[in-house]
Coordinates of all heavy atoms in Angstrom, one line a residue:
V227 N -1.9 7.4 8.1 CA -2.8 6.5 7.3 C -4.0 7.4 6.9 O -4.7 7.9 7.8 CB -3.3 5.3 8.2 CG1 -4.3 4.5 7.4 CG2 -2.1 4.4 8.5
I228 N -4.3 7.4 5.6 CA -5.5 8.1 5.1 C -6.4 7.0 4.6 O -6.1 6.3 3.6 CB -5.1 9.1 4.0 CG1 -4.1 10.1 4.5 CG2 -6.4 9.7 3.4 CD1 -3.4 10.9 3.4
A229 N -7.5 6.7 5.4 CA -8.4 5.6 5.1 C -9.5 6.2 4.2 O -10.3 7.0 4.7 CB -8.9 5.0 6.4
N230 N -9.6 5.7 3.0 CA -10.5 6.1 2.0 C -11.5 5.0 1.6 O -11.0 4.0 1.0 CB -9.7 6.6 0.7 CG -10.5 7.2 -0.4 OD1 -11.5 7.9 -0.1 ND2 -10.0 7.1 -1.6
P231 N -12.7 5.1 2.0 CA -13.6 4.0 1.8 C -13.8 3.6 0.3 O -13.8 4.5 -0.6 CB -15.0 4.4 2.3 CG -14.7 5.7 3.1 CD -13.4 6.3 2.6
I232 N -14.0 2.3 0.0 CA -14.3 1.9 -1.4 C -15.5 2.6 -1.9 O -16.4 2.8 -1.1 CB -14.4 0.3 -1.3 CG1 -14.6 -0.3 -2.7 CG2 -15.6 -0.1 -0.4 CD1 -14.6 -1.8 -2.8
P233 N -15.6 2.9 -3.2 CA -16.8 3.6 -3.7 C -18.0 2.6 -3.5 O -17.9 1.4 -3.6 CB -16.5 3.7 -5.2 CG -15.0 3.7 -5.3 CD -14.5 2.8 -4.2
P234 N -19.2 3.2 -3.1 CA -20.3 2.4 -2.7 C -20.7 1.3 -3.7 O -21.1 0.2 -3.4 CB -21.4 3.4 -2.4 CG -20.9 4.7 -2.7 CD -19.4 4.6 -2.9
E235 N -20.6 1.7 -5.0 CA -21.1 0.8 -6.0 C -20.2 -0.5 -6.1 O -20.6 -1.5 -6.7 CB -21.2 1.5 -7.4 CG -19.9 2.1 -8.0 CD -19.6 3.5 -7.5 OE1 -20.0 3.8 -6.3 OE2 -18.9 4.2 -8.2
H236 N -19.0 -0.4 -5.5 CA -18.1 -1.6 -5.6 C -17.9 -2.3 -4.3 O -17.2 -3.3 -4.2 CB -16.7 -1.1 -6.1 CG -16.7 -0.5 -7.4 ND1 -16.8 -1.3 -8.5 CD2 -16.6 0.7 -7.9 CE1 -16.8 -0.6 -9.6 NE2 -16.7 0.7 -9.3
A237 N -18.6 -1.8 -3.2 CA -18.4 -2.4 -1.9 C -19.1 -3.8 -1.9 O -20.0 -4.0 -2.6 CB -19.1 -1.5 -0.9
M238 N -18.5 -4.7 -1.1 CA -19.1 -6.0 -1.0 C -19.9 -6.2 0.3 O -19.8 -5.4 1.2 CB -17.9 -7.0 -1.0 CG -17.1 -7.0 -2.2 SD -15.7 -8.2 -2.3 CE -16.7 -9.7 -2.6
A239 N -20.8 -7.2 0.3 CA -21.6 -7.4 1.4 C -20.7 -8.0 2.6 O -20.0 -8.9 2.3 CB -22.7 -8.4 1.1
S240 N -20.8 -7.4 3.7 CA -19.8 -7.7 4.8 C -20.0 -9.1 5.3 O -19.0 -9.8 5.6 CB -19.8 -6.7 5.9 OG -21.1 -6.7 6.5
A241 N -21.2 -9.7 5.3 CA -21.4 -11.1 5.8 C -20.7 -12.0 4.8 O -20.0 -12.9 5.2 CB -22.9 -11.4 5.9
L242 N -20.8 -11.7 3.5 CA -20.2 -12.6 2.5 C -18.7 -12.6 2.6 O -18.0 -13.6 2.8 CB -20.6 -12.1 1.1 CG -19.8 -12.7 0.0 CD1 -20.4 -14.1 -0.4 CD2 -19.9 -11.8 -1.3

Side-chain angles (χ1 to χ4, degrees):
V227 174
I228 302 164
N230 186 29
I232 184 172
E235 63 275 25
H236 297 287
M238 298 182 74
S240 61
L242 167 81

